[in-house]
């Protein structure tokens, strides 16, 4: 969820003269999606939920287990808007340290080159970079046709590998330009941005001037014809039918980014986005009279509709801080709801059936069962319980084979007493 804070500093105590004379118009009447505000948004305007990178990595391991991938080639995982790298470290550590037949390469990207250069020197990521498991790039899907790495790895471009492309985000879609539309019994009005600030602010303003600006909306009548993209227009028309009154963002920038990512992936794409937003219209409503700023949730209702209209499979699952948005473009279509279900909350004192089944499917290690408290109840659907039953059977089969390996003791003793190596 994007929050933009703006204000105007009042006159200093004891100052004289006309205060308003020191105020100028910075922007007058631009549609929100075309406003300079988006160039002023600070990197920390969208936070990263704790554990988001770990959750994405575990979902990727489940996905890899359930898809027919080319094990002789790499699966590229591109992270967008890495920022401080907290998500990157969790993603890389969990994914690359797991036991999996799939060869993953994580490409950590950020649209700011200086930030990307700092990530390339990160103490946690650096060992993986030396091994060729991680690369770093300055990349923005809205601007760049391919991912050009700053490190020694190969670039990411359409057809670079024989496997689908995976893209992970944590708030990147919410950072992208959006319109603000107010719905009133089928009538639509679009918000125009009015920005004012002290004359001392340069033209154009810099990001650190954002807190000195004052935001005001001007509303003008519009209609769905304003959107030339048929998919967006159809989605806005659906909102107009369902929503009697209220204002909400229309994520035109996120739609554009999704289309560019599909092109980068040759339409074989898995997108995992943990966003501060929802696909529930009531949860997307925002104030139409900003005071000290504006908070814009990521409109996953529109983004889901656009993805489905483009041939994608979509699942949205609410989380404590927003929603997880999973979208996959593949032939034939594959249900992605089991991946989104990995974000379902777990009751206190109960085992998460879906999570445990996914863990055992990705890594059928007998020690995972030995570490469980088998006296606590299981929570899950019938399908999830069947999945867990099958996964446990595989684990127990491995354990039984290990117990029946009569020559294991002699082999281990021989290895321990060997002076070779």
């Amino acid at each position: 969820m994007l929050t933009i804070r703006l204000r105007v500093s009042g006159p200093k105590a004891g100052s004289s003269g006309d205060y308003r004379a020191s105020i100028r118009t910075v922007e007058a009447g631009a549609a929100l999606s075309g406003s300079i505000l988006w160039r002023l948004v600070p990197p920390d305007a969208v936070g990263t939920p704790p554990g988001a990178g770990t959750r994405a990595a575990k979902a990727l391991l489940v996905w890899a287990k359930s898809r027919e991938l080319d094990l002789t080639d790499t699966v590229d995982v591109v992270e967008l808007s890495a920022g401080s790298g907290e998500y990157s470290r969790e993603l890389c550590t969990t994914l690359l340290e797991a036991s999996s037949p799939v060869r993953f390469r994580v490409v950590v990207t950020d649209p700011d080159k200086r930030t990307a250069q700092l990530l390339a020197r990160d103490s946690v990521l650096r060992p993986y970079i030396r091994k060729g498991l991680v690369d770093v790039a300055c990349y923005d899907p809205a601007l760049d046709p391919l991912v050009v790495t700053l490190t020694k790895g190969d670039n990411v471009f359409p057809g670079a590998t024989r496997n689908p492309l995976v893209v992970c985000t944590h708030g990147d879609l919410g950072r992208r330009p959006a319109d603000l539309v107010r719905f009133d019994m089928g009538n639509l009005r679009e918000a125009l941005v009015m920005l004012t600030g002290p004359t001392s602010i340069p033209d154009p303003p810099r990001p650190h001037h954002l807190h000195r600006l004052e935001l005001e909306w001007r509303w003008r009548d519009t209609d769905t014809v304003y959107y030339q993209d048929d998919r967006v227009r159809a989605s806005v028309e659906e909102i107009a039918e369902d929503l009697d009154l209220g204002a909400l963002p229309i994520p035109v920038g996120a739609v554009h980014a999704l289309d560019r990512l599909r092109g980068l992936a040759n339409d074989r794409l898995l997108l995992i986005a943990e966003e501060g937003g929802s696909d529930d219209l009531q949860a997307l409503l925002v104030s139409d009279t900003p005071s000290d700023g504006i908070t814009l949730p990521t409109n996953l209702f529109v983004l889901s509709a656009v993805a489905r209209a483009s041939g994608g499979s979509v699942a949205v699952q609410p989380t404590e801080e927003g929603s997880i948005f999973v979208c996959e473009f593949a032939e034939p279509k594959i249900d992605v709801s089991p991946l989104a279900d990995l974000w379902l909350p777990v009751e206190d004192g109960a085992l998460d059936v879906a999570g445990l089944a996914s863990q055992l499917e990705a890594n059928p290690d007998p020690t995972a069962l030995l570490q469980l408290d088998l006296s606590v109840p299981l929570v899950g659907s019938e399908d999830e319980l069947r999945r867990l039953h099958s996964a446990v059977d595989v684990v127990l089969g491995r354990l039984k084979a290990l117990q029946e390996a009569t020559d294991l003791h002699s082999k281990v003793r021989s290895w321990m007493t060997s002076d070779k190596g």
Side-chain angles (χ1 to χ4, degrees):
M1 187 175 297
L2 176 66
T3 299
I4 306 175
R5 297 295 181 192
L6 307 98
R7 67 179 179 83
V8 165
S9 301
K12 295 180 179 179
S15 63
S16 59
D18 183 4
Y19 173 64
R20 295 303 301 176
S22 65
I23 300 298
R24 70 176 179 87
T25 299
V26 177
E27 188 168 66
L32 178 58
S33 60
S35 171
I36 64 171
L37 280 174
W38 303 99
R39 300 198 297 271
L40 305 178
V41 174
D44 60 354
V46 179
T48 302
T54 301
R55 290 189 290 271
K58 291 180 178 178
L60 284 181
L61 292 170
V62 174
W63 170 80
K65 185 79 173 179
S66 61
R67 301 298 189 261
E68 293 184 5
L69 302 175
D70 188 334
L71 299 183
T72 66
D73 207 350
T74 303
V75 173
D76 281 334
V77 180
V78 175
E79 178 200 355
L80 301 180
S81 296
S84 65
E86 178 184 353
Y87 181 101
S88 315
R89 299 179 197 103
E90 292 179 355
L91 175 68
C92 294
T93 302
T94 306
L95 183 64
L96 301 177
E97 296 296 336
S99 175
S100 173
V102 178
R103 290 190 292 121
F104 290 102
R105 177 181 66 137
V106 180
V107 185
V108 177
T109 78
D110 194 89
D112 179 68
K113 187 172 183 178
R114 185 172 179 273
T115 300
Q117 290 171 336
L118 290 174
L119 289 166
R121 298 194 294 271
D122 183 87
S123 59
V124 175
L125 301 180
R126 193 64 193 165
Y128 296 115
I129 294 174
R130 286 195 292 265
K131 295 177 182 178
L133 300 175
V134 171
D135 281 295
V136 177
C138 177
Y139 173 69
D140 184 342
L143 303 174
D144 304 312
L146 68 159
V147 184
V148 180
T149 60
L150 301 177
T151 41
K152 295 181 179 180
D154 295 332
N155 298 334
V156 180
F157 54 88
T161 75
R162 292 182 291 276
N163 286 313
L165 176 68
V166 176
V167 175
C168 296
T169 84
H170 42 101
D172 176 83
L173 300 178
R175 291 183 178 93
R176 300 195 172 273
D179 289 324
L180 183 62
V181 175
R182 187 166 65 189
F183 297 82
D184 185 358
M185 303 302 292
N187 298 313
L188 276 63
R189 305 197 78 195
E190 179 191 19
L192 304 180
V193 176
M194 303 292 295
L195 286 177
T196 55
T199 54
S200 59
I201 293 179
D203 187 16
R206 306 290 188 269
H208 63 276
H209 297 128
L210 182 62
H211 73 283
R212 302 180 65 193
L213 299 177
E214 185 177 61
L215 170 65
E216 187 180 356
W217 299 130
R218 292 288 188 269
W219 296 91
R220 71 176 176 191
D221 293 336
T222 186
D223 54 40
T224 57
V225 178
Y226 175 77
Y227 293 101
Q228 299 180 357
D229 189 316
D230 292 341
R231 304 164 302 173
V232 175
R233 182 166 60 251
S235 183
V236 174
E237 289 173 349
E238 185 177 353
I239 295 174
E241 292 178 0
D242 295 342
L243 184 65
D244 292 335
L245 185 65
L248 49 77
I250 307 300
V252 291
V255 169
H256 177 62
L258 177 61
D259 287 342
R260 295 293 297 268
L261 291 170
R262 287 174 51 208
L264 181 67
N266 271 345
D267 240 1
R268 300 179 65 212
L269 173 70
L270 172 67
L271 173 63
I272 299 177
E274 193 155 348
E275 294 286 331
S278 176
D279 61 348
D280 183 334
L281 294 181
Q282 293 300 319
L284 294 171
L285 295 178
V286 300
S287 172
D288 56 6
T289 55
S291 53
D292 62 342
I294 177 175
T295 298
L296 296 174
T298 308
N299 190 331
L300 299 178
F301 179 92
V302 170
L303 204 59
S304 297
V306 168
R308 292 189 181 101
S310 305
S313 299
V314 177
V316 179
Q317 173 63 48
T319 65
E320 290 185 1
E321 301 186 24
S323 296
I324 183 67
F325 174 75
V326 179
C327 176
E328 185 172 16
F329 293 86
E331 288 296 340
K333 281 189 177 183
I334 302 173
D335 182 17
V336 295
S337 56
L339 294 180
D341 287 345
L342 296 175
W343 275 260
L344 283 170
V346 180
E347 296 180 14
D348 292 339
L351 286 178
D352 174 17
V353 170
L356 179 58
S358 300
Q359 176 187 348
L360 295 178
E361 288 170 349
N363 184 22
D365 184 351
T367 57
L369 285 181
L370 298 177
Q371 295 170 354
L372 292 175
D373 182 355
L374 300 181
S375 65
V376 300
L378 297 172
V379 176
S381 66
E382 291 185 7
D383 288 342
E384 291 168 344
L385 287 169
R386 280 194 291 269
R387 277 184 59 209
L388 178 60
H389 187 277
S390 298
V392 169
D393 281 346
V394 172
V395 174
L396 293 178
R398 287 194 171 192
L399 185 60
K400 183 178 181 181
L402 186 65
Q403 292 173 327
E404 294 177 349
T406 55
D407 61 339
L408 180 61
H409 179 77
S410 60
K411 284 184 177 180
V412 171
R413 296 299 300 175
S414 175
W415 170 67
M416 290 291 291
T417 56
S418 173
D419 60 357
K420 294 182 179 180

